[in-house]
Amino acid sequence: MLRLYNSLTRRKQVFEPDDGETARVYSCGPTVYDFAHIGNLRTFTFNDILCRYLSFKGFEVKQVMNITDVDDKTIAGAAAQGLSLAEYTEKYTQYFFDDIDALNIRRAWKYPQATQHISQMHEIIQKLLDNGHAYVAEGSVYYDISSFADYGKLSGVQPEELSSSTEFSRLEGDQYEREEAGDFVLWKAAKPGEPSWDSPWGSGRPGWHIECSAMSMAYLGPTLDIHTGAVDLLFPHHENEIAQSEGATGQQFCRFWVHGEHLIVEGQKMSKSLGNFFTLRDLLEGQFLHPTRPAGAGLLAPGHPPPTAHRPLPPATQLHYGGAPAERADRRAAQYLH
């Protein structure tokens, strides 16, 4: 018997595939704008262990993990390096596969790329427009969260309970805080210098959230058995996936939502934005790993909840990051190799 903590019901439940045989698992994959840090790789290792155990229990496992190769971050990174979006994301996609191979993470059944599923995104957006869940404004298409009665059932966010001082707005960015909940973008009108695709609503590109709805349903159907990802994706990404998918199909999008907790460093989650991160290359090149211990073993810690805590660094090697990435790398080398 396998019990999983289901973020949707907020309790542990016995898991069985809906059809009793095939576990349909969708795992949020990398956004290929930089190297994955070891907190990301911890989540991918957790996904792998779950899928291996499902196989061990005798289930056929169809795991799909997306490659996000178009979003705000990938576009900004490609522009900064003077590369096309494809050139920029291809190299980081390969780095991702190099990392998971080094950790002996078993490959998923499918690794769909967002840029190869634009037509599927168009189909879902059109269904949302037809069903009264979306609207067009200034060449972009937005999801009307007030049209979906169950919005917030995963995260607990209730738009009607936001502070009266919070001004309603349409959200252009891919990521935002709980207090900023509003109508989110499904299709972004084209901007000068950004990659774009033709659509029934004008040239543009997809919002981040619609990408996962399209890719998951393209390969696994309208209802998933398990959706995995890091806990910081619970809102807004996974909440918006539910609204989009169920608004388009009228069916439950996912039965079990299983989230991995953050890797904690010095009391804070490991994050590129905070600068307190290490990549697998940092660990391997700096020889921080025990020569006989599999690298993946160091990324795992038991339990859900509470959040897992990474062992603090010794006092002499406490790192305080800031500045450019090259400067941070120099500090890592200086602190650990002297």
Side-chain angles (χ1 to χ4, degrees):
M1 180 182 297
L2 172 62
R3 292 181 181 271
L4 296 174
Y5 182 87
N6 187 349
S7 298
L8 183 64
T9 61
R10 297 167 181 79
R11 60 187 176 89
K12 291 182 180 179
Q13 294 177 261
V14 175
F15 173 78
E16 287 280 345
D18 193 41
D19 66 2
E21 297 179 356
T22 303
R24 293 171 173 82
V25 181
Y26 185 81
S27 301
C28 277
T31 299
V32 284
Y33 75 102
D34 200 347
F35 293 102
H37 61 61
I38 62 172
N40 303 138
L41 295 171
R42 180 187 183 279
T43 301
F44 301 143
T45 304
F46 142 70
N47 293 336
D48 181 47
I49 291 173
L50 173 61
C51 289
R52 286 175 184 266
Y53 189 73
L54 290 169
S55 295
F56 170 75
K57 297 293 287 185
F59 302 125
E60 179 184 1
V61 178
K62 289 189 173 181
Q63 182 196 17
V64 174
M65 178 178 285
N66 67 294
I67 303 291
T68 297
D69 59 350
V70 57
D71 78 328
D72 295 345
K73 294 176 181 178
T74 53
I75 291 171
Q81 293 192 14
L83 299 174
S84 70
L85 184 65
E87 290 173 323
Y88 182 75
T89 58
E90 281 172 7
K91 66 176 181 177
Y92 285 112
T93 299
Q94 186 56 55
Y95 292 146
F96 161 73
F97 285 120
D98 291 345
D99 284 349
I100 65 170
D101 288 346
L103 291 170
N104 197 30
I105 291 174
R106 187 169 60 180
R107 295 284 184 105
W109 176 53
K110 299 285 185 182
Y111 286 99
Q113 295 172 284
T115 55
Q116 303 303 310
H117 293 78
I118 301 296
S119 62
Q120 289 90 339
M121 298 174 204
H122 288 169
E123 292 175 8
I124 295 174
I125 293 170
Q126 188 59 57
K127 288 180 181 178
L128 291 170
L129 287 164
D130 294 342
N131 292 346
H133 291 297
Y135 58 91
V136 180
E138 299 178 346
S140 295
V141 185
Y142 296 87
Y143 190 98
D144 177 6
I145 62 173
S146 69
S147 71
F148 188 66
D150 284 340
Y151 192 85
K153 66 181 178 180
L154 179 66
S155 65
V157 169
Q158 298 298 325
E160 67 274 12
E161 296 177 2
L162 294 175
S163 169
S164 59
S165 63
T166 301
E167 182 180 353
F168 172 81
S169 63
R170 300 187 185 105
L171 301 168
E172 290 287 345
D174 290 331
Q175 295 176 307
Y176 48 89
E177 300 301 321
R178 296 165 66 93
E179 295 78 12
E180 300 172 302
D183 291 356
F184 59 89
V185 66
L186 300 167
W187 186 258
K188 300 186 179 188
K191 294 180 181 178
E194 288 191 353
S196 61
W197 290 262
D198 291 334
S199 83
W201 319 285
S203 181
R205 65 178 176 90
W208 174 40
H209 309 297
I210 195 66
E211 296 177 4
C212 281
S213 289
M215 289 184 280
S216 62
M217 291 195 289
Y219 295 96
L220 299 174
T223 302
L224 315 176
D225 287 307
I226 300 173
H227 195 313
T228 69
V231 69
D232 57 342
L233 297 179
L234 196 148
F235 184 87
H237 188 50
H238 292 164
E239 191 70 68
N240 291 350
E241 278 189 70
I242 292 173
Q244 295 164 159
S245 305
E246 296 186 4
T249 68
Q251 301 178 48
Q252 182 180 17
F253 175 50
C254 181
R255 299 170 54 238
F256 281 75
W257 289 86
V258 183
H259 291 95
E261 286 286 355
H262 298 302
L263 189 61
I264 304 300
V265 179
E266 299 177 14
Q268 293 181 302
K269 72 172 183 177
M270 182 171 287
S271 168
K272 292 189 178 83
S273 62
L274 294 175
N276 61 348
F277 67 94
F278 295 92
T279 68
L280 184 61
R281 286 162 178 77
D282 291 328
L283 270 62
L284 295 175
E285 293 171 7
Q287 299 180 343
F288 303 140
L289 299 177
H290 191 282
T292 62
R293 187 182 190 192
L299 302 180
L300 299 175
H304 178 103
T308 58
H310 186 67
R311 185 175 62 187
L313 301 172
T317 58
Q318 293 289 328
L319 302 184
H320 301 281
Y321 295 96
E327 295 171 357
R328 294 200 300 268
D330 289 343
R331 292 178 195 178
R332 283 199 290 271
Q335 295 263 9
Y336 278 96
L337 300 181
H338 286 178

